[in-house]
Amino acid sequence: MSTFAASHLSPSYPDRAAWGTAPKLRAWQQEAFDLYFGREPRDFLTVATPGAGKTTYALRIASELLTRGVIRAITIVTPTEHLKRQWADAAGKVGIGIDPEFKNSQGATSRDYTGVAVTYAQVAMHPALHRARTEARKTLVIFDEIHHAGDAKSWGDGVREAFEPATRRLQLTGTPFRSDDSPIPFVTYEEDGEGLKRSRADYSYGYGPALADNVVRPVIFLAYSGEMRWRTRAGDELAATLGTPLTKDQLSQAWRAALDPKGDWIRQVMQAADRRLTEVRRHVPDAGGLVIATDHETARAYARHLRAIAGEPATVVLSDDPGASKKIKQFAASGDRWLVAVRMVSEGVDIPRLCVGVYATSTSTPLFFAQAVGRFVRARKRGETASVFLPSVPTLMGLANEMEAERDHVLNRRPPEDGLDDSLLQDANRKKDTPDVLGDELPFETMETSATFDRVLFDGGEFGTGAEVGSAEEEDFLGLPGLLEPDQVATLLRKRQSDQQAARRKQPAEPKDTLAPHERIAELRRELNGLVGAWNHRTGQPHGVIHAELRRSCGGPPIAQASAEQIQERIDLIRRWATQRR
C-alpha cells in the first residue's frame, strides 16, 4: 500500500475539495499527522470542527500505518449505518477496501477487504466477536464521533471489551463534550484544579481557527420572533410573543406553536429561507437547503409547504426509512433545492452543498445544536457562506453566539445549568414517529401564529432592528451575497444595520397621541427587558448586573422611575453592545 493515493486525497473527500487545499493535506491535517507519528501513540484523540476534514486525515494515517506494517487490518466504528457506507466509499477511493455490510452473524469478511465498518450498537451486541477479530490481526480502530460511545453503558462497555487489544486506536470527534458522567472509552481525563476530570485531546482544531483558515464557511444565523396563540386541553386560549421574556412553560408552548406546520410562523420562515436560498444560488448554483424537523408527521407537512413555496418537491429522509442512505446520496449529487430530515444529525447528513438551513426542532442541547450547524459549514471554495434560520429562543440564541466556544467532556461535574444538558442526545437522534412534548406540557391546539424578522447573529455580534416578514429591512439581510469572506460578512451586516437605523431616524415621528405615556413606557420596558435577557444568555451576566451597568453608563434612576427617553437610551446602548464582537 502506497501513501501516494492518500496524499492526493481531496481534503473534503469524498466530495469536493475546499478552496486552496488540494492536492495536499490542509495545514491542520498535516500538523496533526506529524504530531501523531512524532509520538507513535496507541491512543490519539483528534477534535476537529465538523467539516474540517477528519475523514481525509484519518485515512491518511491509516494508509501510512499499513505501509509501515504497523497494522494489517482496520475497523471503523460509526454511530450510524449511513456513515459506515460513507467511510467505505471514502476508503475505497484511496485503495483501502472496507466492508460496510459486515454483520455480526458472518464472523469474518472477504479477504478482498482490509477491514470493516461497524456501528457502536453492533459492537455492543457482540463485543466478544469483535475482540476476537481485533486480536487475530494487528488492527487500527478508527472511532468516528467517539463521544457516541458514552451514549449508553452497554455501548461503552462493549467498545472497551472489543477493542482493548487493538494495536492502535484513533478517536475522532467534532463535538467532544457531554454533560453526563459516562466516561468516553479510551479518552484520557485529567483533573482541572477544581476537582473535576476533564477530557484531554491530543490535537484540537476548533471552528474559529478553521474559519480563519477558510476551511469552513462563516455561519449567519437569522432569528425570527412572532406572535403565537394556542388553546390548551382545558380549553384556555393563551398567547405569547416569541423573543420576549417568557416563563419556561410559556416559552415551551410558544416554541411548539411556532413549529406547528398548521400555523403561519414556520411557513413564513421557510419562505424567507427559500428566498435566501435563491440569492445564494446566484453565486453557488447547486446550493441546497435542509430543514431539520422533529418527527415524521411534521417532516411530511413541511415538505408539502416547501413544494408550494419552491415549486418543486422536497426530498424527505426519515430515520426508519431503509432507503434513507440512498436518498441522502442522491440529493447530495443533485441540484435539488430542499431536503427535510427528521433529526438525522448523527445519521450522517453530510452534504457539502448545503448552504441554507431551518432549525425546526425543539431540541436545544449544545451537542445537538453543534452537530446540526455542522451540516452547513463544510467549505468547498473560498467565500461560500452558510445561513441558518431559527426561532428567537434564548437557549438557541446563546448557542449561536457561542459557535467558537471550545468544550471538553467533564466528569463529576455540578448539576448542569438550565438548557445545557446533553443527556437527551440519545433521544434526539432516535426514531421519531410522533411529535415531541416540550417540558411537562399537555397537548394543545395551535390557533394562530405569525413570524417577525428579529435579528441576525454573526461572529458574536447581533445585527438588525426587527422588521415585518416581507419588508425591505428583512430583504436587506436575506439578499446578502452568497459569496463573502468572513470580514466582508461582518462589514456588510454593520452597514445594513447602520442604513436601517438612519432610515428609521428620518421617518416622521409617530403622533404623540398614538400611545398613552404609560403604554409607551411599558412597551419600552418590555423591549429593554427582552434585550437584557438576550444579553444574559450571551454573556452569563445576571439581569441585575446588566441593568446596573446600563444605568451607570447612561445615568438616570432605576428602570421603575426612568422616563421613556432614558429607557430608549439604554436600549440603544445595549444594541450597540450586541453589534460589537466579544
Side-chain angles (χ1 to χ4, degrees), residues 97-384:
I98 296 295
D99 181 6
E101 306 298 336
F102 175 80
K103 302 291 190 293
N104 288 349
S105 58
Q106 294 175 222
T109 189
S110 167
R111 61 183 178 183
D112 292 335
Y113 295 113
T114 304
V116 300
V118 296
T119 64
Y120 289 102
Q122 189 176 343
V123 172
M125 289 173 64
H126 201 334
L129 165 68
H130 296 277
R131 184 183 182 94
R133 295 190 70 259
T134 304
E135 290 176 329
R137 302 169 73 189
K138 294 188 293 184
T139 301
L140 164 69
V141 183
I142 299 174
F143 296 100
D144 187 21
E145 305 297 351
I146 182 64
H147 56 271
H148 282 282
D151 277 349
K153 190 175 187 296
S154 63
W155 284 23
D157 291 344
V159 164
R160 286 189 186 88
E161 180 182 348
F163 302 118
E164 188 279 328
T167 302
R168 294 287 177 92
R169 292 182 290 255
L170 178 62
Q171 298 99 345
L172 307 173
T173 183
T175 48
F177 50 94
R178 304 176 59 82
S179 62
D180 57 25
D181 272 355
S182 298
I184 303 171
F186 310 123
V187 169
T188 300
Y189 291 86
E190 298 176 342
E191 289 199 9
D192 62 0
E194 297 181 4
L196 302 176
K197 290 187 176 180
R198 191 175 297 274
S199 62
R200 178 182 63 78
D202 295 285
Y203 186 88
S204 294
Y205 187 63
Y207 175 78
L211 184 61
D213 292 343
N214 297 298
V215 168
V216 294
R217 297 173 179 142
V219 182
I220 305 167
F221 292 96
L222 297 102
Y224 280 74
S225 55
E227 301 294 328
M228 312 296 152
R229 190 162 62 87
W230 64 92
R231 180 185 292 123
T232 68
R233 192 167 69 172
D236 298 326
E237 289 194 13
L238 303 175
T241 301
L242 204 63
T244 61
L246 300 172
T247 66
K248 185 176 181 180
D249 287 344
Q250 288 174 328
L251 176 61
S252 67
Q253 292 171 8
W255 189 353
R256 182 179 176 187
L259 300 182
D260 191 333
K262 293 189 288 292
D264 286 337
W265 187 94
I266 188 63
R267 180 182 56 81
Q268 291 171 333
V269 169
M270 287 194 292
Q271 281 180 328
D274 190 68
R275 294 202 302 275
R276 176 66 187 144
L277 181 59
T278 296
E279 183 60 42
V280 171
R281 284 168 76 103
R282 297 182 194 277
H283 307 93
V284 186
D286 68 338
L290 167 66
V291 178
I292 300 175
T294 299
D295 61 84
H296 292 187
E297 180 184 348
T298 302
R300 295 187 183 97
Y302 288 169
R304 291 192 291 271
H305 281 319
L306 286 169
R307 180 164 194 154
I309 292 166
E312 63 179 66
T315 299
V316 180
V317 178
L318 306 177
S319 53
D320 65 345
D321 182 355
S325 185
K326 183 178 179 181
K327 285 184 179 180
I328 291 170
K329 205 168 184 178
Q330 289 174 338
F331 182 84
S334 75
D336 296 347
R337 291 177 73 90
W338 284 102
L339 174 71
V340 183
V342 178
R343 307 293 178 85
M344 292 297 290
V345 172
S346 71
E347 277 78 357
V349 179
D350 195 8
I351 305 168
R353 70 184 189 89
L354 289 178
C355 292
V356 176
V358 179
Y359 194 88
T361 173
S362 56
T363 305
S364 59
T365 68
L367 180 50
F368 187 90
F369 186 85
Q371 289 182 325
V373 175
R375 301 313 96 200
F376 306 96
V377 300
R378 170 172 285 182
R380 299 177 300 173
K381 64 179 180 180
R382 188 163 184 166
E384 288 185 345

Side-chain angles (χ1 to χ4, degrees), residues 441-520:
E441 66 181 337
L442 296 173
F444 66 78
E445 177 188 1
T446 301
M447 303 291 292
E448 184 179 3
T449 66
S450 62
T452 304
F453 174 71
D454 187 4
R455 70 192 96 163
V456 170
L457 297 90
F458 177 74
D459 196 23
E462 299 182 3
F463 307 86
T465 54
E468 295 300 316
V469 169
S471 66
E473 289 98 332
E474 182 198 31
E475 290 297 331
D476 278 346
F477 294 103
L478 295 180
L480 291 171
L483 288 176
L484 287 172
E485 297 290 336
D487 58 337
Q488 293 175 324
V489 174
T491 299
L492 193 52
L493 287 171
R494 283 193 292 267
K495 183 179 185 305
R496 298 213 166 169
Q497 173 160 285
S498 177
D499 290 345
Q500 286 185 2
Q501 290 173 334
R504 290 192 174 191
R505 285 194 294 269
K506 291 179 182 178
Q507 290 177 352
E510 291 185 355
K512 293 188 183 216
D513 59 351
T514 299
L515 289 176
H518 72 278
E519 293 175 319
R520 174 65 176 155

